[in-house]
Amino acid sequence: DIQLTQSPSSLSASVGDRVTITCRASQGISSYLAWYQQKPGKAPELLIYAASTLQSGVPSRFSGSGSGTEFTLTISSLQAEDFATYYCQQLNSYPQTFGQGTKLEIK
Amino acid sequence: QVQLVESGGGVVQPGGSLRLSCVASGFTFSRYGMHWVRQAPGEGLEWVAVIWYDGSKKYYGDSVKGRFTISRDNSKNTLFLQMNSLRAEDTAVYYCARDECSGGSCSLDYWGQGTLVTVSS
């Protein structure tokens, strides 16, 4: 099975900051990676698919990059509504897997 | 608009069974693969299973293989998860999600609100 490791596991930042979250795969997954945002008590929401394609309706301050084994999610200028937990998911092969999550908190 | 509504969660004893349902609306259900994803209390997301749009293929996560069965009824726009031999570690919120594939890349683009399964004596 493909393991996904996110770093950091938690992150404190301020409104307006630029933040980057990394997701590393235990083997190459091409660009078959998605990013999700989850707020407490809510279902996850899709942010980015195919490693770098922004889902319709998602603000342009979110961006994704990478291929193979290393991927990043960047938020260019944090807004109050961005404080949440973020997960990467590999869709290269079954069983699909998620990273352990990165909790983004207000500093 | 796309809606996914799960039901069937509850409290069940270890070793017991439960059947979850997910009713879909707002899109042509029979054209999409569907997933189950779960989240234990205070934990991260765990992928559980997927079923092809026509039910022809099914895949499972290692922790549920042989105990859980995913199925669908396209005539009723409904996805199911039959859970047998339940364990305490199966306690989680269970989400159904739609599989969207475009340009050769896929993602889970719509999710239900989840249904809580608690396995406890």
Side-chain angles (χ1 to χ4, degrees):
Chain A
D1 298 0
I2 296 173
Q3 312 301 319
L4 295 180
T5 303
Q6 289 182 231
S7 59
S9 294
S10 63
L11 175 59
S12 294
S14 302
V15 171
D17 284 354
R18 178 184 180 92
V19 299
T20 297
I21 299 169
T22 298
C23 177
R24 289 187 174 88
S26 59
Q27 61 191 79
I29 58 171
S30 186
S31 296
Y32 298 114
L33 188 102
W35 289 96
Y36 302 87
Q37 177 193 69
Q38 187 180 33
K39 296 180 179 178
K42 301 293 187 181
E45 294 185 357
L46 176 65
L47 296 175
I48 287 169
Y49 63 95
S52 60
T53 303
L54 201 63
Q55 172 70 349
S56 176
V58 174
S60 59
R61 62 182 179 272
F62 291 91
S63 64
S65 65
S67 67
T69 61
E70 186 152 338
F71 303 84
T72 59
L73 172 70
T74 299
I75 310 172
S76 59
S77 179
L78 273 174
Q79 302 300 301
E81 60 266 31
D82 300 336
F83 292 94
T85 301
Y86 293 85
Y87 295 93
C88 56
Q89 179 202 16
Q90 67 82 16
L91 302 100
N92 179 77
S93 62
Y94 295 111
Q96 293 181 3
T97 47
F98 289 90
Q100 82 278 15
T102 295
K103 187 173 184 179
L104 181 52
E105 300 174 305
I106 300 173
K107 185 183 287 183
Chain B
Q1 70 283 19
V2 172
Q3 280 198 331
L4 298 169
V5 180
E6 302 95 337
S7 62
V11 180
V12 61
Q13 291 189 341
S17 299
L18 211 55
R19 189 195 200 199
L20 306 184
S21 300
C22 168
V23 176
S25 60
F27 66 103
T28 305
F29 181 70
S30 61
R31 293 183 181 177
Y32 288 85
M34 296 294 296
H35 298 251
W36 287 101
V37 176
R38 69 183 182 182
Q39 186 169 36
E43 301 295 325
L45 302 173
E46 180 185 9
W47 182 82
V48 173
V50 64
I51 185 168
W52 251 232
Y53 68 100
D54 59 355
S56 60
K57 291 186 179 180
K58 307 172 185 180
Y59 296 93
Y60 298 91
D62 293 343
S63 62
V64 306
K65 200 176 299 182
R67 300 187 299 124
F68 289 11
T69 302
I70 190 171
S71 62
R72 64 191 297 158
D73 184 340
N74 285 345
S75 69
K76 296 182 178 178
N77 290 348
T78 303
L79 174 72
F80 301 101
L81 185 68
Q82 177 66 44
M83 304 186 295
N84 297 332
S85 303
L86 283 161
R87 307 165 180 166
E89 54 265 36
D90 296 318
T91 295
V93 173
Y94 285 73
Y95 296 101
C96 63
R98 190 178 81 166
D99 186 87
E100 167 64 38
C101 295
S102 62
S105 189
C106 301
S107 59
L108 279 57
D109 66 341
Y110 285 95
W111 297 61
Q113 84 289 348
T115 187
L116 176 62
V117 172
T118 302
V119 183
S120 174
S121 55

